[in-house]
Amino acid sequence: MTKKIIVIGGGAAGIMAAGRAAELGADVILIEKMPKVGIKISITGKGRCNLTSGEEMDKFIEAFGPNGRFLINAFARFFSEDLINFFESIGVRTAIERGKRVFPLSGSAKDVVNALEIYLNKQGVQILPNTSVKGIIAQDNRAVGVDTNKGIFYGDAVILCTGGASYPKTGSTGDGYDMAKKIGHTIIPIRAALVPLEVKEAYIKDLQGLALNHVTASVYLDGEKIAEAFGEILFTHFGLSGPIILTLSKTVVDSLAKGTVEISLDLKPAISKEKLDLRFLREIKEHSNKNVDNMFKNLLPQSMIPVFIKLVGIPHDKKVHQITQKERGEVIALLKGMRFTIAQSRPLEEAIVTAGGVSIKEIDPKTMESKIIKGLYICGEVIDVDGKTGGYNLQAAFSTGWVAGTAAATER
């Protein structure tokens, strides 16, 4: 007898779950409240879709923090190489770029979505767009269907993969958390992850648009360093963004309620304070009769120099040879530790992913089946698992979707 499976949510996890279950012979209905599937996929990676990473398994697990071990079974069964081969099979060639990030060769997320839609149609998945799910129907602790704005649909299994609560315009509005909670699941409080940060310093507006590579950012909670990352940052009109800020943002968000959170930027992490001092002495000797701002041209981007000089408190027209030892020390201290006080993160709606969600303690990592409701499978971002930027989160969605679709179609 053919199994009938209902998939709630047409994002990365839902598409993979639906397609995989149909491949295995199941009769699959994919319910999506938006006009079409894959809308959030189409905006990932700035419209280029960072599908996965070429990193090894241990690096992948590490990218998800303490909850990363939950994904070991899913990755063991369907990992980055499998995903790349899958996309090749549906006509999407890929390329590995800087930082081992994997993108479609075309550089277009829309090509990925189009290929996935064709894949679903070929597998015979019935897609119901513009359909909202009110709740999951359970009888005798078993999922038997879903209640929607277009009526009730019954099935042998239900796969919940509604995504998080970030980018609500794409359909990720957090309704999956309510569905899971209503049938007995514990929801770990949701909050923003991979999100830009707002700072209190008003002069941040003068740095807007400036990007810096090879910078170390350290997070301090009440003066104690609790995390750091090395790479690229971006200054915005409200604060800080860029890859390493996004990576650190969850730690910042979780720390804001505990005390004062600051981010310190080491603009010259490869050079010690002692070597910087020697470099300054050479600059002073070579440019002794020039204005101070000329001395910084070999050290900082032009747009940063006025801000830097103002923060140190040196008049911009002061001659280089007039710089005191104290002022030189203050310049070095600022280069090695430019601090910003974090006011708050940007809203959850602007986060790339949502932290929190359905507790992993209540999901079987080998099948993605709920330990509370039989026949209910939970996968993707709705689970309390989130990783750093770089293709990790999409891989987790595709992997858990593949496992859920496989289990739902084959388990009796």
Side-chain angles (χ1 to χ4, degrees):
M1 181 174 148
T2 302
K3 288 193 75 174
K4 187 169 185 177
I5 297 171
I6 302 168
V7 179
I8 309 172
I15 291 172
M16 184 60 81
R20 176 60 178 165
E23 273 185 8
L24 295 172
D27 181 4
V28 182
I29 296 175
L30 174 56
I31 298 176
E32 170 56 50
K33 68 178 179 181
M34 300 300 285
K36 60 180 294 184
V37 299
I39 292 179
K40 191 172 182 181
I41 297 175
S42 68
I43 67 169
T44 59
K46 297 179 180 178
R48 297 184 60 232
C49 196
N50 185 183
L51 291 167
T52 184
S53 168
E55 289 287 4
E56 298 297 322
M57 177 79 77
D58 58 341
K59 292 290 186 182
F60 248 92
I61 299 303
E62 184 182 316
F64 289 87
N67 284 3
R69 294 188 62 80
F70 174 82
L71 296 169
I72 290 175
N73 283 285
F75 287 160
R77 298 183 64 193
F78 189 85
F79 196 42
S80 53
E81 186 177 346
D82 303 298
L83 183 63
I84 290 169
N85 290 337
F86 163 77
F87 275 109
E88 292 275 353
S89 74
I90 64 172
V92 179
R93 296 176 63 194
T94 60
I96 299 179
E97 299 187 7
R98 180 172 57 88
K100 297 186 179 180
R101 299 179 182 221
V102 179
F103 289 88
L105 191 60
S106 68
S108 172
K110 290 182 180 179
D111 289 346
V112 173
V113 175
N114 289 339
L116 288 171
E117 285 185 294
I118 293 170
Y119 163 68
L120 290 176
N121 289 329
K122 282 186 176 179
Q123 300 307 322
V125 175
Q126 181 184 357
I127 302 173
L128 299 182
N130 300 307
T131 306
S132 299
V133 175
K134 300 176 184 178
I136 297 166
I137 301 171
Q139 294 176 359
D140 299 322
N141 286 328
R142 184 173 190 88
V144 297
V146 297
D147 184 13
T148 78
N149 63 330
K150 295 181 180 178
I152 294 176
F153 295 87
Y154 290 101
D156 300 299
V158 175
I159 304 177
L160 177 66
C161 35
T162 50
S166 56
Y167 292 113
K169 290 182 180 179
T170 66
S172 296
T173 55
D175 45 355
Y177 304 125
D178 292 331
M179 293 180 208
K181 187 175 181 179
K182 285 178 181 176
I183 55 175
H185 273 284
T186 302
I187 306 300
I188 305 302
I190 63 170
R191 62 257 191 228
L194 300 184
V195 64
L197 304 171
E198 296 182 11
V199 305
K200 294 182 179 180
E201 288 75 12
Y203 66 81
I204 195 71
K205 294 179 180 179
D206 297 328
L207 299 172
Q208 179 181 350
L210 175 63
L212 297 177
N213 291 311
H214 312 303
V215 172
T216 296
S218 300
V219 180
Y220 286 82
L221 173 59
D222 290 336
E224 181 181 348
K225 187 163 80 169
I226 58 174
E228 72 173 27
F230 173 80
E232 181 184 348
I233 66 164
L234 173 67
F235 294 97
T236 70
H237 68 283
F238 56 76
L240 303 171
S241 188
I244 61 174
I245 297 300
L246 297 179
T247 296
L248 293 169
S249 62
K250 183 181 176 184
T251 298
V252 172
V253 169
D254 289 346
S255 299
L256 283 169
K258 301 175 183 177
T260 300
V261 180
E262 297 172 293
I263 284 189
S264 176
L265 302 179
D266 185 343
L267 305 178
K268 300 293 177 183
I271 308 175
S272 67
K273 288 184 178 181
E274 292 73 22
K275 288 184 177 180
L276 268 178
D277 194 31
L278 291 174
R279 182 170 175 177
F280 264 107
L281 289 172
R282 288 197 303 269
E283 293 281 346
I284 289 171
K285 187 175 180 180
E286 293 174 14
H287 306 288
S288 61
N289 290 317
K290 291 185 178 181
N291 290 345
V292 170
D293 49 3
N294 284 283
M295 189 181 71
F296 287 101
K297 288 181 179 179
N298 294 327
L299 287 167
L300 296 168
Q302 184 61 43
S303 60
M304 198 173 199
I305 294 173
V307 173
F308 207 83
I309 291 175
K310 187 176 180 180
L311 289 175
V312 176
I314 303 175
H316 72 93
D317 57 352
K318 188 172 185 175
K319 300 302 180 184
V320 170
H321 71 270
Q322 295 176 320
I323 294 177
T324 65
Q325 183 178 353
K326 180 175 180 293
E327 288 172 332
R328 198 170 74 239
E330 289 173 349
V331 168
I332 293 170
L334 190 58
L335 281 170
K336 298 294 288 182
M338 191 176 190
R339 290 215 175 194
F340 295 91
T341 307
I342 307 302
Q344 60 187 14
S345 73
R346 295 296 285 177
L348 175 58
E349 292 78 13
E350 296 180 25
I352 294 176
V353 298
T354 307
V358 181
S359 173
I360 58 174
K361 295 178 181 179
E362 300 169 355
I363 302 169
D364 184 343
K366 295 180 180 179
T367 62
M368 297 298 138
E369 186 175 23
S370 165
K371 294 180 180 179
I372 295 174
I373 303 292
K374 293 292 294 181
L376 173 64
Y377 299 82
I378 306 173
C379 55
E381 194 180 342
V382 73
I383 300 173
D384 180 27
V385 176
D386 60 278
K388 65 181 185 180
T389 183
Y392 299 99
N393 291 289
L394 263 183
Q395 178 68 57
F398 284 124
S399 292
T400 56
W402 188 91
V403 169
T406 300
T410 57
E411 291 194 343
R412 299 298 173 185

